[in-house]
Amino acid sequence: MRAFFINRQPYSDSMPRIILHVDMDSFFTAVEMREKPELKGKPVVVGADPKDGRGRGVVSTSSYEARKYGIKSAMPISQAYKLCPTAVFLPVNMPLYAAASEQIMQSLRQRCDRFQQVSIDEAFLDISGRAGDFEEAKQLAASIQKDVLDKEKLSCSIGIGPNKLIAKVASDFKKPAGITVVKPEETKSFLEKLPVIKIRT
Ligand SMILES: [Mg+2]
């Protein structure tokens, strides 16, 4: 049996793996709303300049309020404008999001033995050495979620599973601010319930 230590936590291949996938909720618009509280509760769209409906380019992120109008990521900005001309349209401010991301990732890194950032607002955390079972994993996830909210004033959703694929699909299951646990024995029935489109990484 191979065993090694990370952060002085014992980890071995024979342990049941418990993986968290942390995904920030509507990250770009959430950061914008944190910086500009007057945007709270308004439909906010981060992306290309809509130029009164003649703009080119796409929606990068839409707030949950904007999603109620049918505005989605990757949609042409002209279409988003048509759906809700009164939405607040903001340009992509990548340095701002990158700085917020760095803070979040730094604190997430402390909460696990193995860490993998997968995008500006998503990371996998291997907590196999820190949670004895999936019940404890759920408590740990709740504490991570609270931590991010307290420190960064941003909400995230967390998926918990026996591998990265399941954790990733699970984090998307309940949003925003959700925690979804898929135990090893529930994996098959969880995947069977999902449309094929959900299973991609
Ligand atoms: Mg996200």
Side-chain angles (χ1 to χ4, degrees):
M1 187 183 77
R2 215 151 53 87
F4 53 92
F5 292 83
I6 296 161
N7 297 343
R8 285 182 308 256
Q9 296 284 334
Y11 181 90
S12 85
D13 285 348
S14 63
M15 271 180 179
R17 288 184 78 203
I18 305 180
I19 308 294
L20 305 190
H21 180 252
V22 179
D23 184 20
M24 301 306 296
D25 297 323
S26 181
F27 186 54
F28 293 177
T29 54
V31 175
E32 293 287 359
M33 287 158 110
R34 180 184 75 176
E35 302 301 308
K36 306 178 189 84
E38 67 273 17
L39 298 178
K40 284 245 163 69
K42 291 186 181 163
V44 176
V45 180
V46 168
D49 183 350
K51 296 183 178 160
D52 296 328
R54 296 183 314 275
R56 288 169 163 270
V58 296
V59 172
S60 183
T61 311
S62 53
S63 70
Y64 287 95
E65 290 80 3
R67 290 178 202 190
K68 289 180 192 153
Y69 294 86
I71 299 173
K72 291 180 188 148
S73 297
M75 170 183 279
I77 201 77
S78 55
Q79 193 184 344
Y81 186 84
K82 255 175 241 151
L83 288 168
C84 185
T86 56
V88 178
F89 289 89
L90 299 171
V92 177
N93 184 349
M94 206 45 94
L96 177 68
Y97 317 143
S101 170
E102 207 169 301
Q103 292 295 317
I104 295 160
M105 296 302 161
Q106 240 173 52
S107 70
L108 292 181
R109 212 178 276 272
Q110 313 301 317
R111 308 299 300 268
C112 61
D113 302 320
R114 298 205 287 189
F115 177 83
Q116 184 187 15
Q117 184 177 347
V118 277
S119 76
I120 191 163
D121 78 326
E122 281 174 53
F124 289 110
L125 282 65
D126 188 331
I127 57 158
S128 311
R130 299 197 181 196
D133 54 31
F134 279 75
E135 207 38 62
E136 268 180 51
K138 194 178 179 181
Q139 288 166 19
L140 203 99
S143 126
I144 289 171
Q145 207 174 44
K146 187 177 178 301
D147 217 35
V148 174
L149 192 62
D150 289 350
K151 284 194 199 142
E152 303 301 324
K153 310 288 172 229
L154 293 169
S155 101
C156 62
S157 295
I158 302 181
I160 307 171
N163 60 47
K164 291 201 280 188
L165 171 71
I166 300 294
K168 169 131 176 131
V169 177
S171 72
D172 200 37
F173 196 71
K174 227 185 287 162
K175 265 186 160 288
I179 295 178
T180 303
V181 184
V182 183
K183 294 176 188 166
E185 63 271 23
E186 297 165 347
T187 297
K188 192 165 177 278
S189 63
F190 178 73
L191 290 178
E192 274 168 2
K193 275 183 273 172
L194 293 173
V196 171
I197 190 92
K198 289 271 183 200
I199 306 168
R200 57 187 156 75
T201 52

